[in-house]
Amino acid sequence: VLVDPSHRRPSVETFLHALCLHDAGAKWVAHTHAVSVNQILCSRLGAEPFLRHLFPDGIVVCGRHPAVVPYVDPGFTLALVVRDELRRYQEAHGAAPKLLLMVNHGLVALGQTAQEALNITLMADKWAKIIVGTYALGGPNFLPDEQSERIDNRLDEHYRRQQLHGAFKP
């Protein structure tokens, strides 16, 4: 497909990205369609394997709970569904998510810095690869919820989160 740069049009997902900046308070939005993540999101399990944790780094970098939306055709309707999920999530958890999973579509990393958005994206990729590997070897050995909660609230992990945010330097 040939693209004529003089006829640039915004993405159909412009509203989605704007909502993530406005309603989720993100300063950086990284929306990708990583094969590793989509091989799970496009499976019959959808986002379910991401709802429990397998290792501490996933909690520290991606947050304790990802936000999840079902498949919706990209465009304005998807933005409205994401808006509703961001509002529901914030009411349930008292903060915005760091990771938004869109079933049969992809992921959105919500960061305060470019480095944080990149770190969330890379960790979601690692997490997805570990999930697939665990299913190949008999199934996941999820961390107990109380351990995930403890990791999420440890002071040393809060400090590590701050270090991982990094500062964007052009």
Side-chain angles (χ1 to χ4, degrees), residues 43-147:
S43 76
R44 291 180 186 194
L45 294 175
E48 183 182 331
F50 290 103
L51 299 181
R52 296 186 58 205
H53 286 276
L54 291 162
F55 57 102
D57 285 349
I59 299 166
V60 172
V61 176
C62 295
R64 173 82 170 83
H65 305 282
V68 177
V69 295
Y71 180 80
V72 177
D73 193 41
F76 191 69
T77 305
L78 174 59
L80 293 175
V81 171
V82 167
R83 180 197 64 192
D84 292 345
E85 172 58 12
L86 291 174
R87 289 177 180 173
R88 183 212 64 78
Y89 187 98
Q90 289 177 351
E91 189 173 307
H93 301 287
K98 291 179 178 240
L99 178 62
L100 170 68
L101 300 170
M102 298 180 292
V103 175
N104 289 92
H105 185 140
L107 71 103
V108 179
L110 306 166
Q112 294 305 303
T113 64
Q115 188 64 54
E116 182 183 23
L118 176 60
N119 288 343
I120 293 165
T121 302
L122 293 172
M123 187 58 68
D125 173 65
K126 175 181 174 178
W127 190 1
K129 290 173 181 174
I130 290 171
I131 288 170
V132 170
T134 64
Y135 277 102
L137 296 171
N141 181 24
F142 291 111
L143 292 172
D145 287 339
E146 58 273 5
Q147 285 298 319

